[in-house]
Amino acid sequence: MLCLGALGLEPAQAQRQVSNERPTDFLSADFHKGRRELLRQQMPAGSVAVLFASPVRNRANDVSYIYHQHPDLYYLTGYTEPDAVLVLFKEPQNLGGQTGVTEALYVQPRNAAREMWTGRRIGKDGAKQQLGLQYTADNTEFAAAPIQWSNFGQVLMLTLPTDAANDPRNPADLHDLVASFRQKASLPADFSPAVGEAHKVIQRYGTANPTELRPYLTNLVSSQPQLATDAYVQAYLKADTDADRQKVVASRPVSRFDATTLDELLNQMREVKTPEELKLLRQAVRISAVGQQEVMKATKPDMGEMEIQGLHEYVYKKYGAEFEGYPSIVGAGNNACVLHYETNDKPRVGNELLLMDCGAEYHGYTSDVTRTIPPTGKFSREQREIYELVLAAQEASFKECKPGAEFQAPHKAAQAVITEGLKRLGIIKTDAEVRRYFPHGTSHYLGLDVHDRGTYGPLKAGNVITVEPGIYIPEGSPCDKKWWNIGVRIEDDILITSSGYDNLSKEAPRTVADIEAMMAKPSALDNFKLPILKN
């Protein structure tokens, strides 16, 4: 790798190349424009919204992690480069001599010397022509932009990035863009999104459900020091009667700066997927499901976890998925009992159950598919009993996947099945013990983030969620040793439809019979041999 530091250039970042030879199935400029307009329509009168790009993060020395755009900024613009800021105006503004401006995107400027090293930038002209933004400018113009922040009744934002490095060679990096916004908008130095969120929760539940709100706020104060000195939060916690609580709720201090409304609006928008998004999500999920098929055929007991991880990720690349949606989890035996095991360095999986939680990211949208298989190709009796219990729990969860069902309904169904099953097998004696072996929830939203935005309200048509019950019995558990080192998770990606659900990952075998049949098939990799590397 060439060293860029001596030349005064930025560490290499993965940027989209401006080329006619790139894939053609990205989200369209019209899609992103429609998202911006829908968000703007829902913004309060007299408001302005500001969203920043994600920071460039250092991996080691002069090497950066591959750049990943802030999902909200990508959702609204399609822009994939760093050091950018989007401003949305509820009412049209005059900006830079242009009238009727409702949106402005400030992007990193073209720079031939740097582009030679790190890839071409689209610049302000490309942002206007390719992405369809109404007003675009170089990010170097943001500090002096004629935006009269004081004229807006509300300034909507997400949590501002605090880990952006300040590059003295770049006068408009993310650190500088955020600093300019803070100064120009007169954002108080002690402004805290956590305080605003606590205030909003008090408004919503302060009189309706004080019994549950008080302990929630008490726990929040213990982890958020700024709440311990907030007069409004403390006044509510000291209120002992309904009348006192009503007075406190009505006395909420007013602030122009709002770090909760934009978050809530984006939760509502992103939890229901459009047809354009579903096309990409389906592709991501199908790639992951085919990856599970191929790995089932190829896996042998003498293979290592890392090798098996590589097979999954090769399939992703083969089908054009740019990244993994999250670090691949490939754990055998006791490693399968670590929920987010990412080391994947066991050199031989042997005959212990192998849990593979892997997901391809295709054009920004990620899948999340888990299968658990016996490397020998056949489940042992104990492995089969635990596996089929988890499968029964998942089937029960599927029945709850329908519009109008509460978000937790699939989890409650799975937990009931697993509780009774573990008691029947003698692994637990009481219902409360189930949390030892099934410690996580069953579902989360899926989309631009693997744990995607959403309200976690009743399920709606257009939601895409995971259904992933599991049982994990690590070595040393208080049960018969024959169950030790068995970890099973089965996870599918489910689209809620108007009449029920569609299992997007159904191509990945789920039943014991189907898994064993798939593992008995020949693999294209059976004759793939590499030379042995000797020390």
Side-chain angles (χ1 to χ4, degrees):
M1 178 182 291
L2 291 173
C3 177
L4 307 185
L7 299 175
L9 298 177
E10 295 172 325
Q13 300 157 14
Q15 301 295 337
R16 282 191 181 178
Q17 303 300 303
V18 182
S19 169
N20 294 327
E21 298 177 353
R22 299 186 62 247
T24 59
D25 58 342
F26 288 102
L27 293 170
S28 68
D30 286 341
F31 167 84
H32 298 294
K33 180 179 180 181
R35 299 293 92 189
R36 292 194 299 276
E37 187 55 30
L38 179 59
L39 176 59
R40 196 176 69 83
Q41 290 172 7
Q42 298 178 80
M43 289 165 52
S47 67
V48 61
V50 58
L51 298 94
F52 291 90
S54 286
V56 175
R57 293 184 168 91
N58 179 259
R59 182 176 182 270
N61 195 18
D62 60 350
V63 177
S64 296
Y65 284 103
I66 293 176
Y67 185 72
H68 193 283
Q69 185 57 276
H70 192 294
D72 291 321
L73 187 71
Y74 178 74
Y75 181 70
L76 296 171
T77 66
Y79 187 70
T80 60
E81 300 174 26
D83 299 336
V85 54
L86 173 69
V87 184
L88 297 177
F89 306 101
K90 176 65 175 182
E91 291 84 16
Q93 306 289 311
N94 296 330
L95 191 62
Q98 185 173 332
T99 61
V101 175
T102 58
E103 56 187 31
L105 181 66
Y106 295 84
V107 302
Q108 58 179 1
R110 298 295 306 274
N111 183 311
R114 294 193 174 189
E115 290 179 51
M116 178 181 176
W117 289 87
T118 61
R120 292 187 63 191
R121 305 174 177 183
I122 66 172
K124 62 181 180 181
D125 293 334
K128 177 171 288 189
Q129 295 163 10
Q130 299 176 39
L131 304 181
L133 270 293
Q134 184 185 26
Y135 179 92
T136 61
D138 290 340
N139 57 16
T140 52
E141 300 177 39
F142 180 67
I147 300 174
Q148 301 301 317
W149 298 97
S150 60
N151 291 344
F152 299 101
Q154 285 181 272
V155 180
L156 312 180
M157 69 192 85
L158 302 176
T159 300
L160 298 178
T162 58
D163 60 341
N166 186 12
D167 185 351
R169 301 165 299 179
N170 185 349
D173 60 16
L174 185 64
H175 177 277
D176 296 319
L177 294 175
V178 173
S180 295
F181 166 70
R182 285 181 170 275
Q183 178 187 8
K184 295 292 184 179
S186 300
L187 182 68
D190 61 351
F191 176 78
S192 169
V195 171
E197 180 63 30
H199 288 193
K200 184 157 285 190
V201 169
I202 291 173
Q203 287 285 298
R204 186 171 298 169
Y205 303 109
T207 56
N209 196 357
T211 303
E212 293 187 14
L213 180 58
R214 287 179 64 86
Y216 170 79
L217 284 175
T218 300
N219 289 333
L220 205 60
V221 168
S222 66
S223 62
Q224 302 283 351
Q226 58 269 48
L227 298 180
T229 57
D230 183 76
Y232 186 65
V233 172
Q234 293 303 316
Y236 182 83
L237 290 174
K238 293 175 182 176
D240 294 325
T241 67
D242 287 343
D244 288 341
R245 283 189 282 269
Q246 288 175 0
K247 289 180 182 178
V248 173
V249 171
S251 67
R252 179 186 179 184
V254 178
S255 173
R256 291 177 54 246
F257 300 100
D258 183 335
T260 59
T261 296
L262 189 56
D263 196 66
E264 292 175 351
L265 292 177
L266 287 165
N267 280 342
Q268 294 167 17
M269 289 174 60
R270 283 179 51 186
E271 76 174 357
V272 177
K273 302 304 187 285
T274 68
E276 298 96 324
E277 292 179 284
L278 287 174
K279 183 177 180 180
L280 298 183
L281 259 174
R282 286 181 183 276
Q283 184 73 349
V285 175
R286 288 203 66 198
I287 291 171
S288 300
V290 171
Q292 293 282 357
Q293 288 183 11
E294 294 304 315
V295 171
M296 286 181 190
K297 290 186 285 187
T299 295
K300 302 294 185 292
D302 61 351
M303 297 173 69
E305 292 172 345
M306 195 174 299
E307 179 181 3
I308 294 168
Q309 172 188 347
L311 297 181
H312 280 279
E313 294 172 8
Y314 170 73
V315 174
Y316 301 169
K317 301 295 186 184
K318 181 70 174 176
Y319 285 110
E322 297 91 337
F323 306 108
E324 303 81 58
Y326 52 95
S328 297
I329 300 169
V330 180
N334 207 49
N335 293 339
C337 300
V338 179
L339 300 184
H340 279 184
Y341 173 74
E342 298 171 0
T343 310
N344 302 347
D345 65 354
K346 188 174 184 177
R348 187 178 184 276
V349 296
N351 61 358
E352 298 180 300
L353 280 185
L354 176 68
L355 188 153
M356 306 178 296
D357 185 340
C358 306
E361 180 184 304
Y362 187 81
H363 297 359
Y365 286 82
T366 183
S367 58
D368 190 0
V369 181
T370 306
R371 292 294 184 264
T372 306
I373 65 173
T376 61
K378 294 289 183 180
F379 288 85
S380 71
R381 178 179 176 180
E382 287 77 18
Q383 291 171 350
R384 179 190 291 263
E385 288 192 87
I386 297 299
Y387 187 92
E388 291 189 332
L389 176 53
V390 176
L391 186 65
Q394 192 188 40
E395 292 289 349
S397 295
F398 286 160
K399 294 177 181 178
E400 302 300 325
C401 294
K402 54 193 174 184
E406 66 170 306
F407 194 88
Q408 290 298 321
H411 175 70
K412 291 178 180 178
Q415 190 172 56
V417 171
I418 288 176
T419 300
E420 291 306 309
L422 291 178
K423 288 166 67 176
R424 173 176 51 80
L425 294 173
I427 296 174
I428 63 173
K429 294 182 174 62
T430 66
D431 290 1
E433 293 177 87
V434 72
R435 290 288 294 173
R436 174 187 291 274
Y437 302 110
F438 180 24
H440 59 77
T442 301
S443 299
H444 57 77
Y445 293 106
L446 195 63
L448 286 168
D449 287 297
V450 66
H451 297 140
D452 207 32
R453 278 189 174 276
T455 62
Y456 288 88
L459 294 174
K460 304 173 185 176
N463 291 162
V464 178
I465 65 171
T466 62
V467 174
E468 50 176 314
I471 294 175
Y472 315 89
I473 311 176
E475 184 176 348
S477 296
C479 63
D480 193 313
K481 290 183 179 181
K482 70 180 181 179
W483 305 113
W484 287 5
N485 299 322
I486 293 178
V488 175
R489 182 161 63 250
I490 311 172
E491 179 177 19
D492 283 275
D493 300 341
I494 303 301
L495 168 65
I496 306 300
T497 66
S498 59
S499 58
Y501 73 92
D502 180 11
N503 184 351
L504 303 182
S505 49
K506 54 183 172 287
E507 290 176 89
R510 293 173 54 243
T511 67
V512 166
D514 288 345
I515 289 172
E516 290 183 346
M518 182 63 69
M519 296 189 72
K521 293 183 178 181
S523 167
L525 296 170
D526 285 342
N527 296 318
F528 180 63
K529 305 295 183 183
L530 293 175
I532 297 174
L533 301 182
K534 297 181 179 180
N535 292 331

